[in-house]
Amino acid sequence: MLKIKIGKVSGAVLLIIMAFACSKPAPRLSDVALIPLPDMVTEEAGAFELDESTKIFVEQDDKGLQNVAGFLSALINKSTGFNVQVVKEEPAEGNFIGLKIGAGSGEEAYKLNVGEEKIEVSGATAAGVFWGVQTLRQLMPDQIEKSGEYEGVDWLIPAGSIQDDPEYAYRGSMLDVARHFFSMEDVKRYIDLLAMYKINYLHLHLADDQGWRIEIKSWPKLTEIGGSTEVGGGEGGFYTQDEYKELVSYAQERFITIVPEIDMPGHTNAALASYPELNCNGESPELYTGIEVGFSTLCTDKEVTYQFIDDVIRELVELTPGPYIHIGGDESHVTALEDYIPFIEQAQDIVNSYGKKVIGWDEIAHAALRPSSTAQYWAKAENAKLAVDQGAKVLISPASKAYLDMQYDSTTELGLHWAAYIELDSAYMWDPAKLVEGIGKENILGVEAPLWTETITKMEDIEYMVFPRLIGIAEVAWTSPEKRDWESYKGRLKKHANRLEALGVGYYQSPLLKE
């Protein structure tokens, strides 16, 4: 019979064995569902562990970088129960996360290096660092998205390095607050969700036939009358200028630029009902609560119309630090083309006179486009080609791929399907640079996924129609096409569903994710 004597040496060995048995298994970078997929991922052994002593070190005295550090600190603290502090000197002991602005290949490029004692996020700009932090966020356990749900979680971050740079500079989503009005809280939640996927533009559709949603002090009846209803006859609503500025600031803190849209000369019934002088007959139409389109137009022959546009644009510009003002221009079916063309040209000049660039739906390409104008391709490829032939950039938003109000299939209760049924694979499997012959990447400003809200009445509806389709479109806009693959993406999205649930997002549970 073999007897084992445990002395000093064998006891030490036993302690080592016991310690190893109780150690936390290190997560692996290859097991993380990163979306959008980065350019380059290198896995290493080990992990960084967040704990009470972790610090966030900001190397430069930069306001944008301080915002990023504040965002990261708040994210960690709300879920872990720690009190992670932001410091200006590199910690002499304990682990830390370092944020810095350094050289990079593009304005939004970043590098993320995770070691056992130090994480470094660097970017060419503060925006790049912020996107790097969003990737770091996805390396953390899903529970980081909850508040106060921190007991029993090992806050381990897998070691490795990531280098990344977006495919397109403009990566956007549009929220229609005109057909149905949405509260400040709803828009802020939408902004928070966009930021997770490195979307950097929020296009707000602020005026349409059914409602006017932004206070214009020189034309107060626009909100008093035009803002008083919505599709279905609800009470509508509007944002005061202070509220709009608050949304702009909230978005800026997350490196998202708001693009306001005032649709013209069509989609203007709310304005026409508010001010009869904007009609050719001088009479106010009834307020409209339906969903048909193409029946309204500003009177393009009246001088007061252009004074109206100038006043609206001037006040919007004063509130909007971003470079773009969207003038709509779509579905103006009752505006004769000989009136539509000079109107669009004058509207562009008004926007340009205030130092802003124009974006308009693809129909604006029938007019002479100014050098800085962009046509948003949604319906007709020939319009997009007209824009490119004039030397303009195109913003890619094909209704059959990127419209988030399109139904998933024939059983979807919300949304419409005039353009297509759009399941998750259809929303993902396309290349903006190969969509229209003759329109290559060099002609494209970026990609935008719009959500029209004829059938959308509450935040739960938004989340169901937007997620997870928007996540796939975000990858289309960020990740180079040669790195994208549906099967790879589907696998990552299945894992990522746990994070959506931690966030409380009521997403569409596609049968494709159960295969």
Side-chain angles (χ1 to χ4, degrees), residues 317 322-323 350-357:
V317 166
I350 290 171
V351 172
N352 293 164
S353 73
Y354 290 104
K356 300 294 186 182
K357 301 175 184 179

Side-chain angles (χ1 to χ4, degrees), residues 44-74:
E44 296 174 9
F48 179 101
E49 183 172 11
L50 288 170
D51 57 35
E52 293 90 342
S53 66
T54 301
K55 300 286 190 298
I56 298 172
F57 166 48
V58 180
E59 290 201 13
Q60 294 106 329
D61 185 16
D62 178 88
K63 182 179 178 182
L65 213 52
Q66 291 292 340
N67 283 343
V68 177
F71 177 94
L72 179 58
S73 174

Side-chain angles (χ1 to χ4, degrees), residues 24 48-56 70-86 95-97 140-141 143-144 146-157:
K24 301 164 185 174
F48 179 101
E49 183 172 11
L50 288 170
D51 57 35
E52 293 90 342
S53 66
T54 301
K55 300 286 190 298
I56 298 172
F71 177 94
L72 179 58
S73 174
L75 175 73
I76 294 171
N77 292 339
K78 76 177 174 62
S79 302
T80 61
F82 302 152
N83 187 24
V84 171
Q85 298 292 308
V86 178
N95 63 22
F96 69 93
I97 302 170
M140 298 177 187
Q143 292 92 333
I144 200 73
K146 297 183 178 182
S147 295
E149 301 271 344
Y150 50 82
E151 290 184 8
V153 177
D154 296 330
W155 298 104
L156 298 174
I157 300 171

Side-chain angles (χ1 to χ4, degrees), residues 329-389:
D330 62 316
E331 298 176 320
S332 198
H333 301 322
V334 296
T335 315
L337 190 60
E338 59 267 27
D339 297 326
Y340 176 87
I341 288 173
F343 174 89
I344 292 297
E345 291 171 355
Q346 193 161 342
Q348 291 178 86
D349 291 340
I350 290 171
V351 172
N352 293 164
S353 73
Y354 290 104
K356 300 294 186 182
K357 301 175 184 179
V358 164
I359 300 177
W361 300 104
D362 60 45
E363 290 94 324
I364 70 167
H366 290 289
L369 297 180
R370 302 316 184 227
S372 62
S373 292
T374 296
Q376 186 165 2
Y377 166 52
W378 70 280
K380 293 188 176 181
E382 56 265 36
N383 290 342
K385 288 179 181 178
L386 277 175
V388 169
D389 288 345

Side-chain angles (χ1 to χ4, degrees), residues 237-300:
F238 66 93
Y239 309 112
T240 66
Q241 293 197 358
D242 285 342
E243 287 173 332
Y244 176 82
K245 285 191 288 186
E246 185 179 331
L247 289 176
V248 167
S249 178
Y250 191 86
Q252 280 183 311
E253 290 171 359
R254 289 146 184 82
F255 297 88
I256 292 174
T257 300
I258 286 185
V259 178
E261 178 187 354
I262 302 297
D263 212 338
M264 58 181 87
H267 287 280
T268 45
N269 194 80
L272 302 176
S274 304
Y275 286 97
E277 59 267 38
L278 300 176
N279 292 274
C280 287
N281 64 8
E283 298 177 4
S284 294
E286 295 293 322
L287 288 168
Y288 183 67
T289 61
I291 64 170
E292 297 302 317
V293 300
F295 61 87
S296 62
T297 182
L298 294 168
C299 191
T300 61

